[in-house]
Amino acid sequence: MTSTPLHPAKQLKKMQARLRGLVGKAIRDYNMIEAGDRIMVCLSGGKDSYTLLDILLCLQRHAPIEFEILAVNLDQKQPNFPQTVLPTYLEQRQVPYRIVEEDTYSTVKRVIPEGKTLCGLCSRLRRGILYRVAQEEKATKIALGHHREDMIETLFLNLFHAGKLEAMPPKLLSDNRQHIVIRPLAYCPEADIQRYADLRQFPIIPCTLCGSQETLQRVQVKQMLQAWEQATPGRLETIFRSLQHVELSQLADAQLFDFASLTVDS
């Protein structure tokens, strides 16, 4: 006997409750948001950042503490960027926002050879601008929309191509120690975010306006992880849990664990 599919409104309510629970747990586990915080939510127009903003707004209404939310979009002047989409959406939601216009697209196109991916330099320029804006807006936290799979993919990219065990932490202190970056979607599977974005019918802005695609390495890692998850459901959750249970004595970094001084009990 097959079950009757839930009405879309009930599906939305159920998915929102699931994501709220996962985001709330991540916030508690890593003390991401504190009373009086001014959270700068970086809104790109993709499914992840829309979901991040939406869930944080929901939590803001019910949280036992008060915190502010400011949505910030960086208009990097990619060709055909729809400039009215985000302001219209944010005004309809009555969310305080700021649109920052910086022509990093021209800079990246000038520096990066034709045919090479633009994403690395673009990301570094974007990060510097967002840090500056956070300072100007007196934001105490910068919220990014990276989810569970983003963190796992980064782990394997660094493992395969950089020779180091490094991923994306749920909470990060910037190199200059002036900014705290948080990733409240850290526990959220990408499939859940995609489903939620579809149900909410967010006005998605494609991430390929500049003509660049994700790096081939990240695409390959994503495909590998998807194949693993399909073959063994739950494997991605197990991999993510490994990021939370690190045994330094069972690895080989002599800077983090004092192997040289190991002795037996006499």
Side-chain angles (χ1 to χ4, degrees):
M1 184 175 178
T2 59
S3 58
T4 304
L6 289 175
H7 187 275
K10 291 185 177 180
Q11 291 182 44
L12 174 60
K13 186 176 181 180
K14 183 177 180 180
M15 186 58 69
Q16 185 181 71
R18 171 170 165 76
L19 291 174
R20 277 179 57 184
L22 291 171
V23 170
K25 185 175 186 336
I27 289 172
R28 290 191 300 274
D29 287 352
Y30 297 97
N31 193 30
M32 291 185 183
I33 298 178
E34 301 168 274
D37 267 342
R38 180 169 168 80
I39 311 296
M40 189 178 99
V41 179
C42 299
L43 187 65
S44 67
K47 71 181 191 311
D48 305 327
S49 61
Y50 272 124
T51 298
L52 171 64
L53 176 63
D54 196 74
I55 298 298
L56 287 182
L57 288 170
C58 187
L59 290 175
Q60 184 188 43
R61 293 193 293 270
H62 300 93
I65 61 172
E66 292 187 2
F67 60 92
E68 296 180 58
I69 289 176
L70 173 71
V72 171
N73 170 254
L74 175 56
D75 179 356
Q76 298 175 269
K77 298 303 176 184
Q78 298 102 323
N80 304 314
F81 183 80
Q83 295 181 330
T84 62
V85 170
L86 290 175
T88 299
Y89 173 80
L90 293 167
E91 287 166 10
Q92 289 174 345
R93 294 293 307 271
Q94 297 184 317
V95 178
Y97 72 92
R98 176 175 169 184
I99 306 296
V100 180
E101 297 186 10
E102 294 277 354
D103 187 5
T104 61
Y105 174 78
S106 295
T107 301
V108 172
K109 290 293 286 184
R110 185 178 68 252
V111 173
I112 302 297
E114 190 69 31
K116 299 293 185 180
T117 181
L118 313 178
C119 302
L121 177 57
C122 180
S123 178
R124 290 193 295 274
L125 293 173
R126 183 169 62 247
R127 185 184 309 119
I129 294 167
L130 291 173
Y131 282 172
R132 187 201 77 213
V133 173
Q135 196 85 33
E136 294 170 357
E137 294 291 343
K138 297 181 171 53
T140 56
K141 307 282 174 58
I142 301 171
L144 302 180
H146 297 120
H147 48 67
R148 184 189 70 177
E149 275 80 345
D150 285 325
M151 299 168 72
I152 295 172
E153 289 166 15
T154 301
L155 170 70
F156 281 95
L157 280 169
N158 282 319
L159 181 68
F160 294 159
H161 301 287
K164 58 183 178 180
L165 285 174
E166 179 181 306
M168 290 177 172
K171 187 177 182 181
L172 170 73
L173 181 64
S174 63
D175 291 340
N176 64 5
R177 306 186 67 83
Q178 298 298 307
H179 306 282
I180 293 178
V181 176
I182 59 175
R183 296 182 170 99
L185 299 181
Y187 292 168
C188 299
E190 184 176 13
D192 287 355
I193 294 171
Q194 182 65 68
R195 181 60 179 152
Y196 186 70
D198 292 342
L199 290 167
R200 291 286 279 125
Q201 296 184 324
F202 294 132
I204 302 296
I205 298 173
C207 63
T208 54
L209 291 173
C210 59
S212 180
Q213 300 286 337
E214 287 184 291
T215 62
L216 178 60
Q217 291 91 345
R218 184 171 287 275
V219 171
Q220 290 174 337
V221 167
K222 181 183 286 290
Q223 291 172 345
M224 177 192 75
L225 293 172
Q226 289 172 344
W228 285 358
E229 181 67 17
Q230 186 174 10
T232 311
R235 177 168 287 186
L236 293 186
E237 182 59 30
T238 301
I239 294 172
F240 184 82
R241 285 204 307 272
S242 73
L243 295 175
Q244 299 173 297
H245 298 88
V246 177
E247 295 288 348
L248 292 178
S249 65
Q250 305 304 305
L251 297 174
D253 193 330
Q255 301 298 315
L256 295 179
F257 187 83
D258 189 6
F259 292 98
S261 299
L262 290 176
T263 60
V264 299
D265 291 338
S266 56

